[in-house]
């Protein structure tokens, strides 16, 4: 039961929704922005966001498997679990920082009017 709860914790907040949001944003950028360098830059940034999110999903799945394996092994000590969690959260923090930087990068390539058209009040 505990393994299931931890797996839900790691994967329940999965970035599948984020990938869908990035895909929707990509479509909106294509519809709103005219072809040109700014559009290419925005799409490139969105591609980097998608890549980073996909990598995070793999990291979360790997951590969930390691934790499940550690719980099955009754010889596992708390330090092992702490190491797994610590590594996972280092990756989460790195991903969060990268995504924030990419959002600012995206903001630089889109005009205020285009941003409003793409994101409305949510941006």
């Amino acid at each position: 039961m505990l393994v299931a709860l931890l797996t839900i914790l790691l994967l329940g907040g999965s970035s599948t929704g984020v990938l869908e949001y990035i895909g929707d944003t990509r479509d909106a950028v294509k519809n709103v922005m005219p072809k040109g360098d700014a559009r290419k830059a925005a799409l490139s940034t969105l591609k980097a966001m998608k890549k980073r999110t996909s990598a995070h999903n793999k990291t979360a799945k790997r951590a969930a498997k390691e934790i499940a394996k550690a719980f099955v092994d009754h010889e596992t000590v708390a330090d092992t679990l702490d190491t797994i969690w610590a590594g996972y959260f280092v990756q989460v923090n790195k991903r969060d920082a990268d995504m924030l930087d990419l959002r600012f990068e995206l903001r630089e390539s889109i005009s205020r009017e285009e941003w409003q058209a793409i994101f409305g009040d949510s941006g």
Side-chain angles (χ1 to χ4, degrees):
M1 180 65 165
L2 187 56
V3 173
L5 291 174
L6 288 172
T7 302
I8 290 170
L9 173 68
L10 286 172
L11 300 177
S14 173
S15 302
T16 303
V18 175
L19 289 173
E20 290 175 11
Y21 182 76
I22 292 169
D24 291 345
T25 302
R26 184 175 182 264
D27 293 343
V29 164
K30 286 181 176 181
N31 289 330
V32 170
M33 295 181 74
K35 291 182 180 180
D37 291 341
R39 178 176 162 174
K40 285 180 185 178
L43 292 173
S44 176
T45 302
L46 289 165
K47 184 177 180 179
M49 290 173 132
K50 180 180 177 183
K51 185 176 179 179
R52 187 70 183 119
T53 301
S54 295
H56 170 72
N57 285 349
K58 290 178 184 176
T59 298
K61 287 178 185 178
R62 188 173 34 251
K65 286 180 183 179
E66 289 176 12
I67 288 171
K69 184 178 175 182
F71 273 114
V72 170
D73 181 7
H74 296 290
E75 301 295 318
T76 300
V77 293
D79 289 343
T80 301
L81 291 172
D82 288 344
T83 301
I84 295 168
W85 278 116
Y88 173 71
F89 284 116
V90 164
Q91 292 300 317
V92 168
N93 289 335
K94 183 179 178 344
R95 189 278 318 254
D96 289 348
D98 288 348
M99 291 297 279
L100 186 59
D101 290 344
L102 288 168
R103 180 175 159 78
F104 283 117
E105 184 179 308
L106 182 64
R107 187 89 189 206
E108 290 176 12
S109 62
I110 299 176
S111 73
R112 181 181 300 261
E113 294 78 20
E114 291 166 338
W115 188 273
Q116 184 64 32
I118 293 166
F119 296 104
D121 293 330
S122 69

